[in-house]
Amino acid sequence: MTAIDLLSEANATFAALFEQARQAGEPDPTAMSVATASLGARPSTRMVLLKQHDERGFVFYTHLDGRKGRELQDNPYAALLFHWPRVKAGVQVRVEGGVSIVADEEADAYFASRPRGSQIGAWASLQSETLDDPQTFHERVAQVEQEFAGRDVPRPPRWTGLRVRPMSIEFWYGGNFRLHERCLYECDPAGHWSKRMLYP
């Protein structure tokens, strides 16, 4: 099997498991943790929602000036984790790779598809900054609503998508007595993919 075939196999496996998670009634199959690290090697993780997955990678959206946005600009590598306990005996998918900003056209199209309230919130929120009082945020929301009253809400210039291009994808399948099954796809620096099993 060629390197391209292995990556295609990994992507097809992810897509199949994602569909199983949806059919199994997972509360939100798109939920994933995103781990980042500062230049000082301090890790940070949070939950976000997967908005696109294809051969180019895994995409989520955020403010570039928030903590994860800043860290991913300074240190453009991330680790993703999906956990679908209702699939089989429990499935985890781990993805690690480099991060890049999506094209403006792609971000514009996604932003335009969001509910208007979410669009307003993207303008009103100073993500990760100190908030003195909840009322201040409500007032900012009202100001943005007034500013864009009667017209479409454009995408904020510092709000965009980030694509994680995988360098490794691991599938973890739960087993009795902790006899789990782990399958790891890896890409070497030359761009060649390989596949191997791991002890649990």
Side-chain angles (χ1 to χ4, degrees):
M1 184 173 287
T2 69
I4 293 177
D5 289 337
L6 283 174
L7 178 57
S8 296
E9 179 181 275
N11 281 325
T13 299
F14 177 85
L17 290 171
F18 183 88
E19 178 60 20
Q20 290 178 44
R22 188 185 66 79
Q23 294 184 8
E26 293 288 357
D28 190 344
T30 70
M32 62 182 184
S33 70
V34 177
T36 60
S38 67
L39 288 176
R42 290 182 176 271
S44 176
T45 188
R46 73 288 287 163
M47 299 299 294
V48 302
L49 301 180
L50 175 71
K51 293 302 180 182
Q52 183 181 5
H53 166 252
D54 57 27
E55 68 281 356
R56 298 173 297 169
F58 299 76
V59 176
F60 63 94
Y61 285 81
T62 191
H63 282 274
L64 291 179
D65 295 329
R67 179 175 177 179
K68 64 180 171 295
R70 294 194 307 268
E71 290 184 348
L72 288 171
Q73 290 171 90
D74 290 341
N75 182 19
Y77 296 92
L80 311 178
L81 173 63
F82 297 85
H83 180 213
W84 299 317
R86 299 181 183 183
V87 177
K88 303 181 185 296
V91 171
Q92 296 182 57
V93 182
R94 299 175 60 199
V95 179
E96 298 178 7
V99 177
S100 60
I101 297 173
V102 305
D104 286 344
E105 295 79 11
E106 189 173 347
D108 288 341
Y110 172 69
F111 189 81
S113 74
R114 303 183 85 209
R116 187 176 180 87
S118 298
Q119 295 174 339
I120 295 293
W123 278 95
S125 176
L126 302 176
Q127 192 175 80
S128 300
E129 297 298 323
T130 300
L131 176 63
D132 60 349
D133 187 278
Q135 184 59 32
T136 300
F137 186 39
H138 295 314
E139 291 171 355
R140 288 182 59 85
V141 169
Q143 291 169 359
V144 174
E145 288 176 334
Q146 182 177 7
E147 179 180 354
F148 294 113
R151 61 191 180 99
D152 291 340
V153 181
R155 177 175 62 91
R158 297 288 290 169
W159 189 98
T160 190
L162 294 169
R163 175 174 285 109
V164 180
R165 185 179 300 275
M167 297 299 290
S168 70
I169 303 174
E170 180 188 331
F171 298 99
W172 179 103
Y173 303 93
N176 293 330
F177 309 111
R178 301 188 64 80
L179 302 179
H180 311 308
E181 179 182 325
R182 298 172 65 186
C183 180
L184 176 64
Y185 295 80
E186 291 178 294
C187 184
D188 66 21
H192 300 125
W193 283 85
S194 61
K195 175 184 177 182
R196 60 192 172 101
M197 303 300 292
L198 302 177
Y199 279 101

